[in-house]
C-alpha cells in the first residue's frame, strides 16, 4: 500500500489552460481521499497526473517516497477505475478480470523460457494464483455467480463491480477512481457507495476518488480535497468541511440545500446589517476590520419564531415537502432564502414568517464571493 505526496503540482494544457494550480497534498497509507468540486475544477487532471496518464507541468508527485514524474503509468503500480467501465465486450467476466494479469505474465514469459524445466511448473503455479485472485475479488464484490457471463448480460451496477474487480485483482499500491458511480441510477449509486466504503475497510488500501457530488464525497472520504478553478480550497475531514468551511466557496458547495448568504456589514453594536435587515452575529466570530462581510446561514439553522428584533421577516414563496422535513423557499429583505425544518403543517404559500438563525450553522465570511471564514475567538470554547 502507498503514501502519495503532491508537492506544488500544477498542470497547464497547451499554452494557456491552467487546469491545476500548485496542489500540495499528503495522502496517508490506507487513506480514502476524495477530490471534490464542480465540473472543470481540475479533479480529473490531478488524478490523472497521479496515475501517470497526464504529464505534470510543475511540482513533484511521490509514491512511497519515489518521485514518479517521469515514471510511466504502467510502472506506478496503481489501478484506475473510470466512469465508463471499459470492459472487453467479447470476454466473459472471468476473462475480463484475469486478462490484465495474464498479459503481464505473457510479458514475463521469455525470461521464464530461459528457466527451462522449471517453466512448466512456474506457469501452472501462476495460473492457479491468477484464478485464486480472480475468485477472491469476485467473492469480495459479490459477482461469483456472474463469472461466465459477458458484459452485455450484466446490469450497470454489475458492470461497475467487474471494473472494480479488475482493479482489485492487480493488488495495486493505490486505487484511483474517477467518478466510478456516475453512470448508475441514484439508488444503486447509494448502495455502491456503501459497498465501496466497506471494501476500503476490508482492503485498507489507499484510495483517491474523484466526484463532483458533494454528498458522495462526504459519505465516502476520510478526508475531502475541495477544489475550485484548479485551486485546492480546503483539505479536511467531512465533518470539519461542513462545520468549519474555510471560505464561502466551500460553505456554498458542501451541504444540501446550499447555505444562504447575505452580504452586509457589522455595525458599531456588533450586529449584522444589510438593507432592511439587522441580525445578531454569533459572538465567537471576529468580524473583519473593514466591517464588510457575508453572513452564511445553513437552511437548517433557521427556526420559525415569533416576530422579534432578532428575526427576519419573510414571505413563503414555495413549500417543498420531503416527508421527514420541509424546505421553505422564502422572500425576505435579503432576497430569496431557503429554510429547512421538520414538517410544519400550518404554513401555506404566501404566509408571513419570522425566521431566527441559531447555532453552529451560522457563519461569518469576509466580503466577496471567495471570502474566507472569519477567525474565531479562542476563548469562547466554540471551536
Ligand atoms: P474536472 O475533473 O474537475 O471536471 P478536469 O481536470 O477534467 O476537471 O479539467 C480541468 C480544466 O482543464 C477544464 O477547464 C478543462 O476544460 C481543461 N482540460 C481538461 N483536459 C484538457 C485537455 N486535454 N486539453 C485542454 N484542456 C483540458
Amino acid at each position: 500500500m502507498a503514501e502519495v505526496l503532491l508537492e506544488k503540482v500544477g498542470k497547464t494544457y497547451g499554452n494557456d489552460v491552467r487546469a491545476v494550480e500548485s496542489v500540495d497534498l499528503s495522502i496517508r497509507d490506507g487513506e480514502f481521499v476524495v477530490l471534490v468540486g464542480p465540473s472543470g475544477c481540475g479533479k480529473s487532471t490531478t488524478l490523472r497526473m497521479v496515475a501517470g496518464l497526464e504529464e505534470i507541468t510543475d511540482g513533484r508527485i511521490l509514491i512511497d517516497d519515489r518521485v514518479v514524474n517521469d515514471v510511466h503509468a504502467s510502472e506506478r503500480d496503481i489501478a484506475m477505475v473510470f466512469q465508463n467501465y471499459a470492459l472487453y465486450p467479447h470476454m466473459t467476466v472471468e476473462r475480463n478480470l484475469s486478462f490484465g494479469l495474464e498479459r503481464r505474465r505473457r510479458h514475463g514469459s521469455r525470461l521464464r523460457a530461459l528457466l527451462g524445466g522449471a517453466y512448466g511448473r512456474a506457469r501452472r503455479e501462476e495460473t492457479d494464483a491468477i484464478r485464486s485472485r480472480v475468485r477472491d475479488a469476485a467473492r469480495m464484490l459479490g459477482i461469483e455467480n456472474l463469472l461466465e457471463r459477458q458484459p452485455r448480460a450484466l446490469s450497470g451496477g454489475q458492470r461497475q463491480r467487474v471494473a472494480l474487480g479488475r482493479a482489485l485483482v492487480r493488488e495495486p499500491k493505490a486505487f484511483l477512481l474517477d467518478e466510478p458511480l456516475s453512470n448508475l441510477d441514484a439508488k444503486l449509486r447509494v448502495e455502491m457507495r456503501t459497498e465501496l466504503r466497506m471494501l476500503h475497510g476490508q482492503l485498507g488500501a489507499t484510495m483517491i476518488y474523484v466526484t463532483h457530488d458533494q454528498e458522495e464525497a462526504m459519505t465516502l472520504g476520510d478526508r475531502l480535497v475541495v477544489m475550485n478553478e484548479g485551486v485546492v480550497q480546503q483539505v479536511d475531514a467531512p465533518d470539519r468541511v461542513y462545520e468549519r468551511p474555510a471560505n464561502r466557496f466551500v460553505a456554498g458547495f458542501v451541504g444540501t440545500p446550499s447555505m444562504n448568504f447575505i452580504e452586509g456589514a457589522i455595525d458599531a453594536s456588533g450586529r449584522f446589517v444589510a438593507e432592511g435587515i439587522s441580525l445578531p452575529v454569533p459572538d465567537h466570530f471576529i468580524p473583519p476590520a473593514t466591517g464588510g462581510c457575508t453572513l452564511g446561514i445553513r437552511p437548517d439553522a433557521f427556526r420559525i419564531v415569533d416576530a422579534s428584533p432578532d428575526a427576519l421577516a419573510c414571505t413563503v414563496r414555495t413549500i417543498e415537502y420531503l416527508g421527514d422535513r420541509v424546505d421553505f423557499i422564502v422572500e425576505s429583505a435579503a432576497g430569496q432564502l431557503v429554510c429547512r425544518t421538520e414538517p410544519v403543517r400550518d404554513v401555506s404559500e404566501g404566509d408571513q414568517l419570522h425566521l431566527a438563525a441559531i447555532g453552529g450553522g451560522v457563519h461569518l465570511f469576509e466580503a466577496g464571493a471567495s471570502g474566507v471564514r472569519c477567525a474565531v475567538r479562542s476563548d469562547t470554547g466554540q471551536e
Side-chain angles (χ1 to χ4, degrees), residues 13 17 19 37-46 54 210:
Y13 287 108
V17 180
S39 181
C41 73
K43 315 177 288 287
S44 292
T45 301
T46 304
E54 210 67 74
V210 159

Side-chain angles (χ1 to χ4, degrees), residues 86-150:
L87 302 180
Y88 300 109
H90 55 288
M91 291 184 189
T92 62
V93 167
E94 181 157 23
R95 279 282 289 150
N96 264 285
L97 293 177
S98 63
F99 185 71
L101 298 178
E102 281 163 7
R103 196 169 51 182
R104 257 199 260 172
R105 176 168 76 174
R106 275 200 297 278
H107 285 154
S109 63
R110 275 172 65 111
L111 175 68
R112 276 190 300 274
L114 297 172
L115 297 175
Y119 176 54
R121 197 177 60 240
R123 196 180 156 76
R124 273 193 304 282
E125 281 172 9
E126 272 183 0
T127 304
D128 288 346
I130 289 175
R131 194 169 294 151
S132 118
R133 276 208 220 174
V134 166
R135 299 273 156 182
D136 285 350
R139 196 173 317 120
M140 256 184 160
L141 294 162
I143 52 172
E144 290 160 290
N145 56 338
L146 306 175
L147 288 172
E148 302 310 320
R149 288 206 201 162
Q150 294 205 331

Side-chain angles (χ1 to χ4, degrees), residues 298-339:
R298 293 243 179 246
D300 61 1
F302 277 128
R303 296 286 176 275
I304 300 172
V305 295
D306 294 332
S308 91
D310 287 348
L312 199 58
C314 19
T315 307
V316 178
R317 288 280 171 247
T318 312
I319 301 175
E320 293 176 358
Y321 177 72
L322 297 156
D324 58 342
R325 57 194 189 275
V326 176
D327 289 345
F328 295 107
I329 319 298
V330 303
E331 198 64 45
S332 73
Q336 193 164 290
L337 301 170
V338 182
C339 157

